Amino acid sequence: MKSIVFMGTPGFAVPILKSLVENAEYDVKYVVTQPDRPFGRKRKLKPSPVKETALELDIPVLQPDKISGSPEMDKIVELSPDFIITAAFGQFLPVKLLNAANIAAVNVHGSLLPKYRGGAPVQYSIMNGDEKTGVSIMYMVKKMDAGDVLAQKAIKIEPDDDTASMFEKLSLVGRDLLLETLPKIENDSVKPINQDENKVVFSPNITREQELLDFSKTAFEIDCKVRALRPDPVAYTTMLGKRTKILKTKPLATNTEMKPGMVVNKTKHALEIATGNSDVIAILELQPSGKPKQSITDYLNGVGKNIKVGDMVIDNAE
């Protein structure tokens, strides 16, 4: 059995961890994940999905605030595992730690590298309207997501996919691709491919400024951002003077001469808003400040009951 130290944090990493534990060829010695974080209104500490899974599987868990120079890192270096495997861990690994792996330190990354290096590859692939994304298995090096690629697999982004659904799909792709690739690394039958630095695209973590919707953009661009930021942190706009999260939208195959932000059509079950390029988008689900999530039908029966066709309801439409 090959010894493994697995490092990951969100749900994306869980199927990958489980597959390694269930495989008779591997022995997961430690799971390393981010420290428990405050969650909800009561700010109660919540473990990461990877920690919850590791505890269920009875695997020792390490949670350093910072892995570099920590006692937890010393444990891993002393162990000198055959593989160090990361999947959305969330911290840089020092070279000393990478070199502790007897066979290799590899990462399961949710993009088709060199496109979308960084912490939010899935979000950017949806936000930019890409037709496909995928998973890359790569050697880890000191530079972020810059190691040689060992394997890749692409999958289609469907029109209704959001970050949650793509993470679920990509985690399964990454699980299978990793299990296919590890034996090839062991027997030296995989050919590493250098990343073309001229084709590098970065995907830094989403900022608060990026959460704001610009209704002067096309309906397609707005819908892409809504899906990219769902389920978290969620896109928003200022609607009827209140900060309002926009949870679900649908670009429509109609055009309008109205200005972006104006109501093009309203029925009991529909609110259609003008956007840039003479496009129209339907808002399907939203959450006004201080209110619960609600369908557009519930919204129009409540806060939005006095909205009329021709009203400018989006205050930050340019």
Side-chain angles (χ1 to χ4, degrees):
M1 297 176 73
K2 301 298 181 183
S3 59
I4 290 175
V5 170
F6 182 83
M7 310 178 76
T9 299
F12 169 77
V14 168
I16 301 168
L17 170 60
K18 286 183 175 179
S19 70
L20 293 170
V21 174
E22 292 166 0
N23 192 303
E25 297 295 320
Y26 305 113
D27 180 16
V28 180
K29 296 292 190 182
Y30 291 118
V31 164
V32 189
T33 190
Q34 296 277 41
D36 298 359
R37 303 296 188 195
F39 179 79
R41 291 184 177 180
K42 294 184 178 179
R43 310 304 289 164
K44 185 178 179 180
L45 289 178
K46 182 179 176 65
S48 72
V50 164
K51 178 181 178 179
E52 291 178 334
T53 302
L55 294 177
E56 290 171 5
L57 297 171
D58 201 27
I59 302 170
V61 176
L62 306 177
Q63 293 182 275
D65 286 322
K66 184 179 179 183
I67 189 69
S68 181
S70 66
E72 290 87 352
M73 188 182 95
D74 292 340
K75 282 187 178 182
I76 299 168
V77 171
E78 183 180 354
L79 174 66
S80 188
D82 293 308
F83 288 104
I84 294 174
I85 297 173
T86 66
F89 172 51
Q91 294 187 31
F92 281 103
L93 303 191
V95 173
K96 181 180 179 181
L97 181 56
L98 299 179
N99 290 341
N102 280 324
I103 298 176
V106 298
N107 180 39
V108 184
H109 184 75
S111 82
L112 299 173
L113 293 169
K115 194 172 187 180
Y116 301 134
R117 292 181 183 176
V122 177
Q123 290 89 333
Y124 280 87
S125 64
I126 298 173
M127 197 183 309
N128 292 337
D130 293 356
E131 293 183 356
K132 65 179 181 179
T133 185
V135 170
S136 301
I137 309 295
M138 65 174 184
Y139 283 134
M140 280 190 286
V141 295
K142 186 177 181 180
K143 189 176 179 182
M144 182 178 64
D145 300 331
D148 292 349
V149 174
L150 303 166
Q152 282 188 333
K153 185 171 182 179
I155 60 171
K156 184 179 180 182
I157 300 175
E158 301 291 347
D160 59 347
D161 272 323
D162 60 13
T163 291
S165 66
M166 288 309 303
F167 265 130
E168 288 182 11
K169 294 178 183 180
L170 290 170
S171 67
L172 300 181
V173 173
R175 174 197 67 187
D176 296 343
L177 193 60
L178 178 67
L179 290 180
E180 292 173 13
T181 306
L182 289 178
K184 296 177 182 178
I185 298 173
E186 290 179 52
N187 60 33
D188 203 27
S189 64
V190 64
K191 183 178 180 181
I193 299 173
N194 291 0
Q195 294 188 42
D196 186 343
E197 292 294 327
N198 294 319
K199 295 181 179 179
V200 170
V201 178
F202 290 102
S203 59
N205 291 333
I206 301 297
T207 65
R208 292 183 65 85
E209 290 75 20
Q210 287 175 288
E211 297 168 23
L212 177 63
L213 293 172
D214 178 0
F215 275 73
S216 69
K217 300 290 187 181
T218 67
F220 174 74
E221 290 172 317
I222 294 169
D223 182 62
C224 285
K225 177 173 273 195
V226 168
R227 291 184 292 112
L229 301 184
R230 189 175 71 220
D232 183 69
V234 182
Y236 78 94
T237 185
T238 302
M239 194 166 177
L240 298 182
K242 293 185 177 181
R243 180 184 172 112
T244 302
K245 294 181 178 180
I246 305 298
L247 296 154
K248 191 174 182 181
T249 53
K250 182 181 180 181
L252 302 177
T254 55
N255 296 107
T256 182
E257 295 182 1
M258 291 186 178
K259 294 180 179 180
M262 295 180 71
V263 177
V264 176
N265 185 38
K266 178 196 175 185
T267 68
K268 287 183 178 180
H269 306 293
L271 184 64
E272 300 172 7
I273 307 294
T275 68
N277 199 37
S278 301
D279 287 349
V280 179
I281 195 166
I283 297 177
L284 304 178
E285 188 177 345
L286 72 174
Q287 183 177 7
S289 179
K291 302 285 185 179
K293 298 176 183 178
Q294 51 194 260
S295 68
I296 195 62
T297 301
D298 291 340
Y299 178 79
L300 294 175
N301 285 332
V303 175
K305 63 183 178 182
N306 294 322
I307 291 175
K308 303 184 298 296
V309 172
D311 284 353
M312 178 65 76
V313 294
I314 305 297
D315 297 353
N316 56 333
E318 296 180 1

